Amino acid sequence: MATTRRGRQTSLGDGGAGPWPRVERGQLAAWLLKMWRLYGEEDILTIRQLAAAVRTPPVDNATVSRWENSRATVPTAALRQYERLFDLQPGELVAVVTALGRERPTGRRTARPCDELLDKCLDRDPVSAAEWADLTVSLTQPRRKLPRPTWDFLVHRLLTEMCLSVGWRYLLRLSALQRVHRHPVGGAALVAATEEFVTEPACQLIIDPIALLAANPTASRRLFRLLSKPRNEAEQLGALFAWAARPPGAPDLVRRLEAISRELHAGASTSPPVRDAASDVLAALFRHRPGARTAPLGKAGEAVFDEVHGALLKVQTRRHEPDLLGGRILRQALASTDSDLRILTVNVLHASPFRGVLADTVASMLSSGRTRTGSAMHNVLVDLLGSLGDARHRPVVENLMWQGAARDAAAVALAHLPGRTDLRLWHHVLTAQPTGGSTQRAALYAVGMKGDRDGLRLLRAHAPVVRARANWWLRLPAEASAGAAL
């Protein structure tokens, strides 16, 4: 099952080296901030005007210029000023830029006391992603002490909400959990919660918690066990995604991981998702080599790129000089051989001023039938619309479900788009035409991610293959689903 918020996203590339070097994380963050200055208001903002608007912390023209040229890390407080200035949701830019600057954290060194937020979490009230970020910064301060049972409750709830979140809300909760991993008591509680979470046989959200273990320096043994002796494919995929995101540094661990990954990649019985994930790990281990670039798109892929890039250029009318990164960023979102960076690139496009234009273009391509249903190009577009679209794009994807075209990819995209789908569609998917277990599992993921309890009951009644997993979704706390959307 493809996913647009983590791990692996469907790619048009063929895995080979290409002439397009990747856009690095710092360049992605710098491009995003510069595009908001140029296109976030009706009139272009100069660097001087933006510097005057960002008052916490006070900055000068040179500082803004360094931000836009990826020569300096943007403080979290300044990112919040951007969010207020351009009427973005609290935490949206913070989440994406923080994820891009993983090796250079943008979090504050100090945090205001969050006793009210702590009480809110313990009382099971809905908690937003931005509030979780504030709370974990406060709770991981050296002088702040919290008993282990409280940590156990908090990390289990936060872990559940992370798995139910999409887009920047997912990234913000992920960074909060990575922060907890570095805390001695909180980190131990999180490892225990992760183990409990993924050992539930009916759990459908295994990959993300396992991949999170890569942030824990003591988790190497667990991850290698999941690679060599997994109980199911999801555990193995989670371990591969974890190592692809954060390869080990010790030479002996690198050699061991390379050997396992090569064996999985070459194995005759290896499934395509595991083979692709093993390829990502090998690319991550040797990212300094020229092979870790953007793969060739092919003729069909180039046509997709040209149309989407053309839509971007059409709205970029205020620049006095061409946008040298925009095209490379789009190409990276479609075909980068680095799945971790590819998914972050898609999140950058979602957080940019051009999200709506790009989503409308992709929706138009899907609606017009200009792509062959079931082709790699078609699945990429469905996946991309699930990442970039909003509620008004749901009918485009739902129509693919009614027609029986690319149902699995469409169901996953519906899980990530805002809004809900009418029960009649899910009933049609289950009863109007024969469907395989993969489609039923994709439909279950879509209704489960939305907290659609009526849809879950429908699936439980009509799809025996997913009955146990539907019950698992129904047992999740209601506040987790409510908070995941905030």
Side-chain angles (χ1 to χ4, degrees):
M1 183 184 299
T3 175
T4 56
R5 68 195 179 105
R6 70 202 82 179
R8 165 163 292 278
Q9 178 197 352
T10 307
S11 167
L12 284 177
D14 61 9
W20 295 87
R22 66 181 186 172
V23 183
E24 300 293 343
R25 292 167 180 260
Q27 292 176 299
L28 286 168
W31 179 86
L32 180 59
L33 296 177
K34 188 172 186 178
M35 291 302 105
W36 274 113
R37 178 174 66 80
L38 295 173
Y39 298 100
E41 299 285 344
E42 291 185 4
D43 296 321
I44 187 172
L45 290 180
T46 65
I47 288 180
R48 177 176 295 180
Q49 289 171 325
L50 183 63
V54 179
R55 300 179 179 179
T56 308
V59 297
D60 55 21
N61 299 352
T63 300
V64 174
S65 180
R66 285 193 293 271
W67 292 346
E68 293 188 358
N69 288 282
S70 66
R71 291 200 297 266
T73 301
V74 189
T76 300
L79 291 173
R80 289 176 171 169
Q81 292 281 309
Y82 272 79
E83 291 170 348
R84 285 189 284 269
L85 180 62
F86 299 114
D87 198 26
L88 300 173
Q89 298 187 66
E92 186 170 359
L93 274 183
V94 172
V96 176
V97 176
T98 298
L100 290 167
R102 185 179 60 203
E103 306 307 328
R104 297 183 301 166
T106 60
R108 301 181 302 248
R109 293 183 179 180
T110 60
R112 56 187 173 84
C114 289
D115 293 330
E116 290 184 7
L117 275 180
L118 180 58
D119 292 340
K120 189 176 181 179
C121 291
L122 296 177
D123 289 340
R124 301 179 186 272
D125 294 330
V127 180
S128 71
E131 288 174 328
W132 275 115
D134 279 341
L135 180 62
T136 54
V137 169
S138 175
L139 296 183
T140 53
Q141 296 299 303
R143 296 184 180 181
R144 187 68 185 259
K145 304 298 180 185
L146 209 63
R148 173 62 186 265
T150 303
W151 273 116
D152 289 335
F153 177 85
L154 290 175
V155 298
H156 195 280
R157 177 176 176 178
L158 179 53
L159 182 64
T160 303
E161 289 190 18
M162 181 201 73
C163 292
L164 296 175
S165 303
V166 297
W168 65 266
R169 295 175 178 86
Y170 169 84
L171 291 177
L172 204 56
R173 288 184 170 90
L174 175 63
S175 66
L177 284 169
Q178 290 170 338
R179 188 178 299 115
V180 170
H181 254 312
R182 297 191 289 269
H183 187 274
V185 181
L190 182 52
V191 170
T194 302
E195 293 279 1
E196 179 185 349
F197 201 87
V198 302
T199 52
E200 167 59 52
C203 177
Q204 198 177 2
L205 303 174
I206 293 178
I207 293 176
D208 288 318
I210 292 175
L212 180 65
L213 287 175
N216 191 297
T218 65
S220 298
R221 183 177 298 177
R222 290 183 177 87
L223 290 174
F224 277 116
R225 177 178 59 80
L226 293 174
L227 274 183
S228 56
K229 297 180 180 179
R231 288 168 294 189
N232 50 57
E233 185 176 286
E235 287 190 348
Q236 197 167 51
L237 281 172
L240 288 169
F241 289 158
W243 285 127
R246 289 176 180 265
D252 58 324
L253 296 182
V254 171
R255 287 192 294 270
R256 184 181 176 191
L257 181 58
E258 180 183 359
I260 294 175
S261 299
R262 290 192 184 280
E263 182 179 353
L264 289 172
H265 187 264
S269 60
T270 303
S271 69
V274 172
R275 182 176 291 110
D276 289 340
S279 176
D280 285 340
V281 172
L282 293 172
L285 290 176
F286 304 106
R287 236 166 236 166
H288 61 282
R289 296 183 180 178
R293 295 183 176 182
T294 304
L297 289 173
K299 184 177 180 180
E302 287 292 348
V304 168
F305 169 78
D306 288 342
E307 185 161 351
V308 180
H309 189 211
L312 174 63
L313 293 175
K314 191 173 181 179
V315 297
Q316 289 183 324
T317 57
R318 301 181 193 168
R319 295 294 304 275
H320 297 292
E321 71 276 359
D323 176 12
L324 300 179
L325 284 181
R328 288 171 56 193
I329 288 171
L330 278 174
R331 190 173 290 270
Q332 185 162 287
L334 292 172
S336 172
T337 58
D338 179 347
S339 62
D340 186 47
L341 191 59
R342 184 168 66 245
I343 194 60
L344 285 174
T345 300
V346 173
N347 276 281
V348 167
L349 294 176
H350 182 279
S352 76
F354 315 118
R355 177 178 67 88
V357 169
L358 296 174
D360 289 344
T361 303
V362 173
S364 174
M365 297 173 72
L366 290 171
S367 299
S368 66
R370 296 198 296 276
T371 59
R372 181 171 58 84
T373 301
S375 65
M377 177 175 60
H378 188 270
N379 288 338
V380 164
L381 291 178
V382 174
D383 210 22
L384 195 59
L385 187 58
S387 287
L388 301 179
D390 55 30
R392 74 179 188 274
H393 298 111
R394 287 189 72 87
V396 174
V397 183
E398 289 172 341
N399 191 48
L400 299 177
M401 299 287 293
W402 282 108
Q403 297 175 354
R407 278 183 170 165
D408 290 13
V412 174
L414 290 174
H416 301 154
L417 286 169
R420 285 193 182 184
T421 292
D422 192 285
L423 283 179
R424 288 175 294 181
L425 175 57
W426 301 125
H427 191 272
H428 169 78
V429 170
L430 293 171
T431 62
Q433 299 178 21
T435 57
S438 65
T439 300
Q440 293 176 351
R441 286 190 291 272
L444 176 64
Y445 176 73
V447 298
M449 288 291 290
K450 293 299 175 185
D452 184 354
R453 303 184 77 81
D454 290 335
L456 288 169
R457 295 187 184 99
L458 176 70
L459 284 163
R460 182 175 62 181
H462 292 276
V465 71
V466 297
R467 185 168 295 155
R469 293 182 177 184
N471 284 329
W472 178 85
W473 284 101
L474 286 166
R475 290 195 301 270
L476 290 177
E479 67 271 12
S481 294
L486 300 177

